C-alpha cells in the first residue's frame, strides 16, 4: 500500500514521517531526495549555477538553499525555472525508491504531492494539518525566517482549503506531539 503524505509548510509532515519510520514503515521523502539530486558535482547543481549564478553555490560546493529559497519564493519565474531543473530528477528517484521498498506500507512524503500529480498514484492520501498561525510560528522559529518570508512561501503552495477539499485522511498536528502520534496511529489502524 502506498500512502501519500502531504501538508503545507510547517504542518508537521516530518513529525509524522518520523513516527512512521519508527514503526518500521518505509518513507520516501521528496525533500531528502531534492537535497540528494543537488549534491556537489551533480548535473542539477551545475544547471542551477548556470541558470541562477555562482552566488547560489556555497564555498564548500553545496547549494545555498536559503538564498535560493528567498529568490524563488519571491519570484514565480525563478520558481518555475528551478522546478524545471529539479522535477524529473526528483520524480525518477521517488519512483526508484518506491519500487525498492520492501515494507507492506510505503509512504511518499512530499509537500507538493498533489501539485505534482503523485496523488493519482497513491492508494490513500493523508494530509497533515495545523492552523495557519501555528504553521507560521513554527517556520519562523525553525528557519529563523521573518513572517513575510513565511507568508511568501505559503503563497507559493496550494492553499490549506484547496488541500483539505481532497478526499483524504486529515492528521491534525495542532496539539502536542503525543496527540499527533495518536492521530497517526488511528489513521494506521483504519487502513
Amino acid at each position: 500500500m502506498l500512502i501519500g503524505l502531504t501538508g503545507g509548510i510547517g504542518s508537521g509532515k516530518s513529525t509524522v514521517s518520523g513516527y512512521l519510520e519508527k514503526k518500521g514503515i518505509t518513507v520516501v521523502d521528496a525533500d531528502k531526495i531534492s537535497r540528494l539530486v543537488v549534491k556537489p558535482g551533480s548535473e542539477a547543481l551545475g544547471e542551477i549555477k548556470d541558470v541562477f549564478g555562482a552566488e547560489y553555490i556555497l564555498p564548500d560546493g553545496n547549494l545555498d538553499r536559503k538564498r535560493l529559497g528567498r529568490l524563488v519564493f519571491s519570484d514565480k519565474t525563478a520558481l518555475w525555472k528551478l522546478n524545471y531543473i529539479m522535477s524529473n530528477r526528483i520524480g525518477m528517484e521517488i519512483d526508484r525508491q518506491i519500487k525498492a521498498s520492501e515494507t507492506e506500507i510505503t509512504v511518499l512524503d512530499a509537500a507538493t504531492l498533489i501539485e505534482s500529480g503523485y496523488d493519482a498514484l497513491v492508494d490513500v492520501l493523508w494530509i497533515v494539518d495545523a492552523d495557519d498561525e501555528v504553521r507560521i510560528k513554527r517556520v519562523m522559529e525553525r528557519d529563523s525566517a521573518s513572517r513575510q518570508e513565511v507568508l511568501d512561501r505559503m503563497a507559493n503552495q496550494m492553499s490549506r482549503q484547496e488541500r483539505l477539499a481532497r478526499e483524504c485522511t486529515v492528521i491534525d498536528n495542532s496539539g502536542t506531539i503525543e496527540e499527533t502520534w495518536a492521530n497517526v496511529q488511528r489513521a494506521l489502524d483504519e487502513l
Side-chain angles (χ1 to χ4, degrees):
M1 171 176 284
L2 181 60
I3 299 172
L5 179 67
T6 193
I9 188 169
S11 63
K13 290 181 311 303
S14 297
T15 299
V16 173
S17 288
Y19 178 81
L20 295 168
E21 285 179 322
K22 287 179 185 173
K23 301 287 284 180
I25 295 171
T26 299
V27 175
V28 176
D29 186 326
D31 188 49
K32 288 180 183 174
I33 291 170
S34 73
R35 293 173 189 272
L36 175 70
V37 300
V38 293
K39 65 184 178 191
S42 68
E43 187 177 290
L45 188 62
E47 281 188 50
I48 289 169
K49 182 178 177 182
D50 291 345
V51 170
F52 297 102
E55 64 269 24
Y56 292 96
I57 310 301
L58 294 167
D60 67 0
N62 283 294
L63 177 64
D64 188 341
R65 293 174 64 87
K66 198 170 220 175
R67 186 173 191 171
L68 186 58
R70 282 193 300 269
L71 172 67
V72 300
F73 291 121
S74 65
D75 179 340
K76 289 190 185 288
T77 301
L79 180 60
W80 182 88
K81 288 176 181 178
L82 180 62
N83 285 339
Y84 182 80
I85 293 167
M86 301 289 289
S87 293
N88 285 341
R89 291 173 173 96
I90 292 170
M92 288 189 308
E93 182 61 19
I94 285 172
D95 291 341
R96 188 195 69 71
Q97 288 189 23
I98 289 171
K99 288 176 183 166
S101 174
E102 296 180 356
T103 56
E104 183 180 334
I105 297 173
T106 300
V107 174
L108 171 56
D109 174 351
T112 60
L113 185 117
I114 296 168
E115 298 91 326
S116 61
Y118 273 99
D119 60 322
L121 304 177
V122 302
D123 299 306
V124 179
L125 178 62
W126 286 5
I127 297 177
V128 183
D129 187 49
D131 294 331
D132 285 346
E133 285 304 315
V134 170
R135 295 170 47 215
I136 292 166
K137 182 180 175 189
R138 285 178 182 164
V139 178
M140 287 174 66
E141 290 173 5
R142 179 191 73 198
D143 297 350
S144 299
S146 71
R147 182 177 182 82
Q148 189 57 52
E149 287 173 323
V150 177
L151 291 172
D152 288 346
R153 291 184 202 175
M154 290 173 77
N156 281 291
Q157 290 188 336
M158 178 180 282
S159 75
R160 183 174 176 226
Q161 292 76 19
E162 287 176 288
R163 204 176 292 111
L164 294 174
R166 305 286 174 151
E167 184 176 328
C168 64
T169 298
V170 177
I171 308 291
D172 181 20
N173 188 26
S174 297
T176 67
I177 192 78
E178 292 80 13
E179 290 169 329
T180 299
W181 289 348
N183 292 333
V184 175
Q185 190 57 56
R186 269 192 295 278
L188 282 172
D189 292 343
E190 290 173 6
L191 292 178

